[in-house]
Amino acid sequence: MAIEKTTEQDRIEVVGQYKAVHIRTASVIKEDGKELARSFHRHVVQPDSDISGETSEVQAICNAVWTDDVKTAWTEFQAAQAA
């Protein structure tokens, strides 16, 4: 009986005007190859987030969609919300 736990980012989505990147990580527990349990963790990164701790795939997506125009629009939106 071999019990194994794996994690994988099974869903990465770009959402909304400010290109928020939503990441879902699945944790799967298997015994002898048969899945016993699956749970999910989600987190979101915004254009002003530090993405250095994200996977290279998430970093590549963020760098592709977070243009200077998107970053400027996000900064202006944040400033307007604070005022």
Side-chain angles (χ1 to χ4, degrees):
M1 289 196 319
I3 295 181
E4 166 186 17
K5 177 183 177 184
T6 59
T7 59
E8 64 181 50
Q9 290 181 335
D10 66 338
R11 183 170 293 172
I12 303 170
E13 300 172 313
V14 178
V15 179
Q17 175 182 359
Y18 304 110
K19 310 297 186 212
V21 178
H22 294 213
I23 301 115
R24 182 175 85 172
T25 304
S27 296
V28 181
I29 299 187
K30 294 182 180 181
E31 182 177 12
D32 296 329
K34 182 180 176 186
E35 185 174 314
L36 300 176
R38 179 179 292 256
S39 62
F40 300 102
H41 170 76
R42 295 175 185 268
H43 71 282
V44 177
V45 289
Q46 300 286 0
D48 61 348
S49 298
D50 175 12
I51 59 170
S52 62
E54 300 294 337
T55 64
S56 59
E57 182 179 17
V58 170
Q59 289 180 19
I61 291 168
C62 292
N63 289 329
V65 299
W66 291 348
T67 63
D68 289 339
D69 290 342
V70 169
K71 290 178 183 179
T72 300
W74 174 249
T75 301
E76 290 171 356
F77 172 75
Q78 292 293 95
Q81 293 297 308

